[in-house]
């Protein structure tokens, strides 16, 4: 059997661990052959590929990024795109495809599965916002990077007695802000699910200054103010899945704090640093187990499914379940964090 593998969407620590597990078990246990498609869906769309062997995946477990490269290509927005993918898979003798990606990549996989393509999905995103799985790999690494950055920023905030606003990733879900903010003792956490009142934020900032400590405000890039509640964009440009590029809410909040409280305030945008470099032990463990389970799903010809973490078990769920809705932070979880505001 010949199996294709691709990684799509934003890169994410742990992608290489999945590829390694898929290829090692696929070749050594199941006797499969592999085709690595490059740059996400652009690979099978344009026929950009190379054979993947055990020697290609040696040494990649701790490496960030993806040896297969990635892109945000959407074959459904290209005329004749789906037919080209089907033709290329046939020409390459590929019997099944493993698609490793987030909402968009798995959304394409779901539609292709509906059209009869043999696909198994592996959920990835640092945002942790895919339903159907308790966690996605990459999230733990991103949270640890953000936590370490906030720990460091505390000392500058204290030394200069200024407010620091830390903008983290999270387009529609505030998981990174919530987990990193709680872990690093942020004084305010702002997430997309809960529009914020800037007066209330400034109140927490004042309280913190009154205790002679300096406030750290962690904000998801997709957070919105209650009044004039629109997401802050860096440009109006959209990718092929229709997503705009977010960024700038940290600067907006810092300017408001400075103007309303008279205290010096600065913003720090963590950006792609959160997605870079070596995965944590948890992400290597999860990504490896996802890879092993995905190749077993191919062996069992259980197509149209996605591997998922439920408790400590890896299970298979319908692909559509992973992309049906976004997994967001509940009001109850957010309320837990409020105890530490101010
Ligand atoms: O989906 C993961 C993510 O890192 C989001 O948190 C962020 O909004 C987006 O990707 C950024 O994408 P890009 O790197 O393509 O600008």
């Amino acid at each position: 059997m010949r199996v294709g593998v691709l990684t799509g969407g934003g890169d994410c620590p742990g992608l290489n661990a999945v590829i390694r597990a898929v290829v090692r078990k696929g070749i050594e246990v199941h006797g499969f052959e592999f085709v690595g498609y490059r740059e996400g869906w652009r690979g099978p769309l344009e026929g950009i590929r190379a054979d993947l062997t055990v020697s290609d995946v040696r040494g990649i477990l701790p490496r960030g990024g993806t040896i297969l490269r990635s892109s945000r290509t959407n074959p459904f927005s290209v005329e004749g795109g789906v037919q080209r993918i089907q033709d290329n898979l046939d020409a390459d003798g590929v019997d099944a495809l493993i698609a490793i990606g987030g909402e968009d990549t798995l959304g394409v996989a779901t539609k292709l599965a509906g059209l009869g393509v043999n696909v198994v999905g592996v959920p990835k995103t640092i945002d942790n916002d895919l339903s159907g799985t308790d966690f996605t790999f990459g999230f733990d690494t991103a949270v640890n990077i953000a936590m370490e950055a906030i720990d460091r920023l505390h000392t500058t905030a204290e030394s200069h007695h200024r407010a620091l606003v830390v903008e983290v990733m999270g387009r529609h879900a505030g998981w990174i802000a919530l987990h990193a903010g709680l872990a690093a003792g942020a004084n305010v956490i702002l997430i997309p699910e809960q529009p914020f009142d800037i007066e209330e934020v400034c109140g927490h900032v004042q309280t913190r200054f009154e205790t002679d400590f300096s406030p750290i405000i962690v904000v998801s890039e997709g957070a919105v103010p209650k009044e004039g509640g629109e997401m802050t964009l860096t440009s109006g440009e959209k990718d092929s899945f229709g997503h705009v590029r977010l960024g700038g809410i940290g600067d907006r909040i810092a300017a408001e704090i400075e103007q309303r409280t008279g205290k010096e305030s600065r913003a720090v945008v963590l950006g792609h640093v959160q997605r870079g470099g070596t995965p944590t032990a948890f992400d290597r463990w999860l990504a490896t187990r996802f890879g092993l389970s995905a190749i077993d799903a191919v062996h069992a010809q259980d197509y149209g499914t996605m591997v998922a973490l439920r408790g400590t078990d890896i299970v298979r769920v319908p692909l559509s379940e992973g992309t049906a809705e976004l997994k967001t932070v509940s009001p109850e979880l957010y309320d837990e964090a409020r105890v530490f505001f101010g």
Side-chain angles (χ1 to χ4, degrees):
M1 187 180 223
R2 266 168 86 75
V3 183
V5 186
L6 63 83
T7 54
D11 71 330
C12 179
L15 284 168
N16 285 326
V18 180
I19 298 167
R20 168 179 173 269
V22 160
V23 171
R24 286 283 297 272
K25 187 163 189 186
I27 292 175
E28 291 167 4
V29 178
H30 298 306
F32 295 160
E33 289 176 356
F34 284 91
V35 176
Y37 285 107
R38 292 173 72 85
E39 300 176 30
W41 289 112
R42 188 178 293 144
L45 185 68
E46 296 179 10
I48 316 169
R49 46 144 170 58
D51 287 349
L52 257 184
T53 64
V54 169
S55 72
D56 293 319
V57 299
R58 290 217 191 276
I60 66 172
L61 174 64
R63 268 172 60 190
T66 160
I67 58 165
L68 292 175
R69 299 210 178 155
S70 194
S71 75
R72 294 191 186 274
T73 305
N74 180 1
F76 285 90
S77 67
V78 176
E79 212 182 310
V82 173
Q83 191 56 51
R84 269 162 63 190
I85 287 188
Q86 282 171 327
D87 292 346
N88 281 328
L89 294 179
D90 285 347
D92 295 338
V94 166
D95 307 291
L97 194 58
I98 293 182
I100 312 165
E103 186 197 354
D104 299 327
T105 305
L106 296 185
V108 170
T110 307
K111 288 196 212 165
L112 288 177
L115 296 170
V117 178
N118 296 335
V119 197
V120 169
V122 178
K124 74 85 233 195
T125 166
I126 64 161
D127 292 355
N128 195 40
D129 58 1
L130 283 179
S131 53
T133 183
D134 289 353
F135 285 102
T136 47
F137 64 87
F139 171 65
D140 186 63
T141 306
V143 167
N144 275 284
I145 292 169
M147 179 195 71
E148 198 189 317
I150 299 165
D151 282 350
R152 289 173 189 278
L153 290 167
H154 268 297
T155 58
T156 295
E158 301 302 347
S159 306
H160 293 266
H161 212 53
R162 57 169 75 131
L164 285 180
V165 182
V166 186
E167 183 180 311
V168 298
M169 282 188 168
R171 197 183 277 275
H172 302 293
W175 294 109
I176 296 176
L178 183 73
H179 283 227
L182 268 181
N187 308 109
V188 183
I189 299 170
L190 304 174
I191 61 174
E193 294 88 337
Q194 301 273 341
F196 63 89
D197 177 352
I198 190 67
E199 268 305 316
E200 209 180 298
V201 173
C202 289
H204 293 314
V205 165
Q206 293 280 24
T207 312
R208 184 71 179 169
F209 274 127
E210 279 158 23
T211 62
D212 210 28
F213 283 95
S214 299
I216 301 270
I217 299 96
V218 178
V219 57
S220 306
E221 61 184 348
V224 288
K226 269 185 188 155
E227 282 184 23
E230 300 233 318
M231 290 200 282
T232 314
L233 314 180
T234 49
S235 75
E237 218 177 289
K238 289 188 178 166
D239 67 20
S240 72
F241 288 93
H243 301 303
V244 283
R245 197 175 297 169
L246 300 180
I249 186 70
D251 275 323
R252 263 176 80 184
I253 293 172
E256 287 282 348
I257 291 174
E258 192 157 303
Q259 198 211 331
R260 289 168 189 249
T261 67
K263 300 282 190 188
E264 187 185 358
S265 304
R266 303 280 185 89
V268 177
V269 182
L270 296 188
H272 293 101
V273 168
Q274 293 158 98
R275 293 205 321 230
T278 187
T280 58
F282 179 84
D283 282 338
R284 295 182 199 189
W285 169 85
L286 181 59
T288 297
R289 292 188 72 208
F290 274 172
L292 295 174
S293 179
I295 200 62
D296 285 347
V298 169
H299 184 250
Q301 302 191 3
D302 194 5
Y303 302 125
T305 58
M306 176 189 100
V307 296
L309 180 71
R310 295 278 170 86
T312 54
D313 293 333
I314 307 294
V315 299
R316 289 180 212 147
V317 300
L319 254 174
S320 52
E321 211 178 290
T323 51
E325 54 179 312
L326 281 184
K327 186 177 66 193
T328 52
V329 176
S330 69
E332 294 74 26
L333 268 180
Y334 188 64
D335 279 347
E336 284 180 9
R338 275 186 206 275
V339 173
F340 303 99
F341 288 9

